[in-house]
Amino acid sequence: MTTTSQVRRPTRGGHEIAMTQPWFDEREVVAAAAAVQSGWVSQGARVIEFEAAVAALVQVPYAVAVSSCTAALHLGMVAYGIGPGDDVVVPSLSFVATANAVRYAGARPVFADVDPRHHNITAATIEQALTPATKAVIAVDQYGTPADMEPIRALARERGLSVVEDAACAIGSTYRGRPVGTGSDFAAFSFHPRKILVTGEGGMVTTSDPGLAERVRRLRQHGMSVSTFDRHHEQRPVHEQYLETGYNYRLTDIQAAIGVVQAGKLHSMVSRRRELAAVYQELLSGVPGLRTVTDPEHGESNYQTFWVMLPDDYPVSSDELLAILKRHRINARHGIPCAHQEPAFSDLDPVTLPVSEHIARQSVLLPMFHTMTREDQQRVADVVCGTWADPDHFRE
Ligand SMILES: *Cc1c(COP(=O)(O)O)cnc(C)c1O
């Protein structure tokens, strides 16, 4: 056990440590510039190339690029025919876009609790949230930790529910030895800078169902029967048809060009994050009762986010710890708030989700990026461990 005399005293000097930072180098710059120089900047050849790269990484036959993961989730609802009068089970402990996608479809989100160890919804917590109107479930691989999808799919089969996997944070994570998304009928990924593979804004739907892939392709471009790119390459005039009401959810070729480079780096990015996670796990092991994100038995995380959960007897609140970190020039974040407690969802029947609420209160997300050094991580750990051992020294 650490005693006060052994605690390292971090200085308030030193460079500022960012929360996160994309892993870009000259190659992304060159690729984006080449897309601009080509004169074709909207959805075109580079989007097709990026889709092939992601399909290969996720090991699925079809990947359809869209403008964001939020757009992908919305199209999941549309593709499964979710609409007014339907209920969709979602975790409250997720980025608000998960529940918003349900609202876009005119359906009602019903919030489920999560498992206290890995912070994901499970077949058991979903079962508690089912109503006679439940039509679908959005299962989230929170912060890159793979959700246990097989029991969720089994429950869904039994109850006739559709399952969308919100794998926004989880590209490069594995579930039962295969990439997250492989076994999903519909998985949605994000390429926002807060995630790992970054295109600025961007998303992807992956599926092994050709009909679903075709429908999503059509829905992302106004319901058109033929893409602008294909029409451009036809010798004869093409009359497109608008087969249904679609959306403008296209990715640009500039974003996709960056994505192709990033896809080539995914394995290095994930292995670097797993190294950084192992260092944090070791450095933080001195605080009794402090829990950190770890791999579940059924898979490996890409550690998109490194969370810690402060023990209930930690001497300061998570907000106070964030302020102390900030005074030491370290940027960290509070854990995601529970959607069911946000004003945007105050019209829904009130629910109590004790596990999610406890996690939201006690979690702190620590900085992690590829150029982070062991010294940087030591500075972070010194504040977290030091505040536990000698809070008066760290309080203002
Ligand atoms: C980031 C995130 C989203 C939204 O992704 P965008 O690409 O920004 O739309 C959705 N769900 C979860 C779980 C996320 O973390």
Side-chain angles (χ1 to χ4, degrees), residues 25-304:
D25 57 54
E26 200 55 33
R27 286 175 289 170
E28 283 84 356
V29 176
V30 169
V36 173
Q37 279 158 354
S38 77
W40 190 287
V41 290
S42 64
Q43 176 185 291
R46 288 177 173 87
V47 166
I48 294 168
E49 202 185 330
F50 182 41
E51 289 174 341
V54 173
L57 289 171
V58 181
Q59 294 176 19
V60 285
Y62 307 101
V64 183
V66 288
S67 51
S68 68
C69 183
T70 307
L73 295 171
H74 179 201
L75 295 186
M77 295 294 98
V78 176
Y80 285 127
I82 307 301
D86 297 336
D87 283 354
V88 179
V89 178
V90 296
S92 171
L93 194 80
S94 179
F95 185 59
V96 75
T98 311
N100 281 346
V102 178
R103 294 275 214 181
Y104 298 164
R108 181 172 75 151
V110 178
F111 294 113
D113 214 344
V114 294
D115 141 64
R117 281 169 57 231
H118 301 296
H119 303 187
N120 281 324
I121 59 171
T122 63
T125 67
I126 291 167
E127 198 150 18
Q128 286 162 10
L130 294 178
T131 70
T134 308
K135 283 281 186 53
V137 174
I138 306 181
V140 180
D141 303 299
Q142 196 52 63
Y143 294 139
T145 304
D148 195 2
M149 293 301 291
E150 276 179 19
I152 294 175
R153 285 186 203 115
L155 173 71
R157 269 193 305 275
E158 199 179 294
R159 307 292 176 108
L161 312 175
S162 304
V163 180
V164 167
E165 183 169 2
D166 179 350
C169 304
I171 195 147
S173 298
T174 61
Y175 177 61
R176 302 194 183 211
R178 298 173 75 199
V180 157
T182 307
S184 259
D185 293 335
F186 191 112
F189 294 90
S190 173
F191 309 124
H192 181 272
R194 185 61 184 79
K195 316 297 159 106
I196 291 188
L197 193 166
V198 175
T199 63
E201 296 282 354
M204 191 75 71
V205 174
T206 64
T207 179
S208 46
D209 176 342
L212 196 62
E214 193 187 322
R215 179 98 191 277
V216 173
R217 278 184 208 290
R218 187 161 80 216
L219 285 167
R220 77 172 163 185
Q221 52 193 15
H222 311 285
M224 271 169 80
S225 58
V226 54
S227 78
T228 314
F229 187 69
D230 290 341
R231 189 176 57 187
H232 176 79
H233 288 92
E234 272 295 333
Q235 299 306 315
R236 287 174 302 173
V238 175
H239 285 274
E240 73 278 14
Q241 272 192 304
Y242 296 89
L243 302 169
E244 60 181 321
T245 305
Y247 306 87
N248 178 359
Y249 280 169
R250 287 175 298 222
L251 193 72
T252 70
D253 257 23
I254 306 170
Q255 294 165 311
I258 296 170
V260 170
V261 178
Q262 288 271 292
K265 292 182 181 175
L266 182 69
H267 292 301
S268 331
M269 296 196 281
V270 171
S271 51
R272 179 70 186 129
R273 295 189 81 82
R274 291 184 59 81
E275 278 170 19
L276 292 164
V279 171
Y280 264 144
Q281 282 157 351
E282 172 206 325
L283 294 177
L284 294 166
S285 60
V287 181
L290 180 130
R291 292 191 40 245
T292 73
V293 54
T294 54
D295 288 331
E297 309 73 52
H298 55 251
E300 289 194 342
S301 177
N302 60 9
Y303 292 96
Q304 178 267 341

Side-chain angles (χ1 to χ4, degrees), residues 287-351:
V287 181
L290 180 130
R291 292 191 40 245
T292 73
V293 54
T294 54
D295 288 331
E297 309 73 52
H298 55 251
E300 289 194 342
S301 177
N302 60 9
Y303 292 96
Q304 178 267 341
T305 287
F306 192 89
W307 57 254
V308 299
M309 245 185 94
L310 304 177
D312 291 336
D313 61 356
Y314 194 78
V316 303
S317 70
S318 53
D319 274 348
E320 282 174 277
L321 178 61
L322 288 172
I324 295 169
L325 285 162
K326 190 75 190 171
R327 286 202 292 279
H328 288 84
R329 301 176 56 74
I330 296 163
N331 290 285
R333 298 279 181 273
H334 58 76
I336 16 171
C338 288
H340 75 279
Q341 295 178 320
E342 291 300 313
F345 298 100
S346 58
D347 58 313
L348 298 174
D349 298 337
V351 281

